[in-house]
Amino acid sequence: TLSEPEEGMETRENSVRAIAQIINSPGGVLFLRTEDGTEFRPVASWPSAEYDLRRHAALSPDSEMVALLARNEWVIDLAELRDTPDAYQNISPPDSIAAQSRLRLVVPLTHVDEFIGFVVLSDPPPPFKPNYEDRDLLKTVGRHVAVHLAQYEADRRLSESRQFEAYHRLTAFV
């Protein structure tokens, strides 16, 4: 899925799709850390027509859920969090995520032991109760997707710097 995206699908959207398809989730939202590291913003969703990114607020790295994801790399089951909050150190999810009852799982994205973001997935069709194998698979896939997204960002920055270099050469010539 990551290596052969659907035609016209952006890399970030495809990353959400790759994780969602594993558990038959109908979709989700990708949050990535900003370049300055001050917040995690919603940057993509799949399917994009069904998930309005404006409904999701940017989150601080200090928010309880983000801090737990960064520290423990746990896959958070939002339904389980509502029922037994002590299983997740009694954190409370951000209002923009808690307000949407269809959201179910939060998958951390870690690249080289650096927490770069997370994906919030919608509830798969019933019956769905994730076990430790599902959580381990999602954690592993999250790491793989994080590598893919980091490579995408590095390629984007390289392309941008090449464009600036070409512009500077042109202006120096002129």
Side-chain angles (χ1 to χ4, degrees):
T1 301
L2 288 173
S3 63
E4 295 181 18
E6 291 179 1
E7 189 171 324
M9 185 175 284
E10 196 249 331
T11 299
R12 292 173 172 175
E13 290 175 25
N14 194 46
S15 297
V16 177
R17 177 177 156 243
I19 297 173
Q21 286 181 337
I22 291 173
I23 58 166
N24 294 323
S25 172
V29 178
L30 170 66
F31 286 76
L32 288 179
R33 186 184 62 221
T34 56
E35 287 186 27
D36 60 6
T38 58
E39 60 187 7
F40 288 83
R41 288 191 182 147
V43 295
S45 62
W46 175 81
S48 56
E50 292 185 35
Y51 295 89
D52 185 6
L53 296 180
R54 294 172 293 186
R55 293 180 64 187
H56 297 278
L59 302 174
S60 165
D62 299 329
S63 72
E64 291 179 338
M65 187 184 79
V66 173
L68 179 73
L69 288 167
R71 186 174 54 249
N72 297 337
E73 291 186 58
W74 287 353
V75 173
I76 298 174
D77 182 349
L78 296 170
E80 183 180 49
L81 175 59
R82 283 188 289 274
D83 295 339
T84 55
D86 57 322
Y88 296 96
Q89 301 174 1
N90 293 311
I91 66 165
S92 55
D95 293 337
S96 62
I97 292 175
Q100 298 185 47
S101 61
R102 70 179 178 168
L103 298 178
R104 178 68 185 267
L105 295 172
V106 183
V107 180
L109 303 176
T110 306
H111 177 251
V112 191
D113 296 327
E114 183 180 348
F115 181 65
I116 66 165
F118 56 94
V119 174
V120 183
L121 298 174
S122 288
D123 204 359
F128 178 74
K129 180 151 176 60
N131 58 27
Y132 73 93
E133 291 172 336
D134 296 326
R135 292 170 194 261
D136 283 349
L137 176 61
L138 288 169
K139 183 178 171 181
T140 301
V141 169
R143 283 183 163 269
H144 186 75
V145 166
V147 169
H148 188 73
L149 288 169
Q151 182 64 46
Y152 168 76
E153 288 299 320
D155 290 346
R156 185 186 61 78
R157 282 191 210 112
L158 180 61
S159 173
E160 199 173 274
S161 70
R162 285 183 180 159
Q163 289 174 354
F164 279 124
E165 182 181 334
Y167 174 76
H168 290 303
R169 282 185 188 166
L170 177 64
T171 56
F173 175 76
V174 171

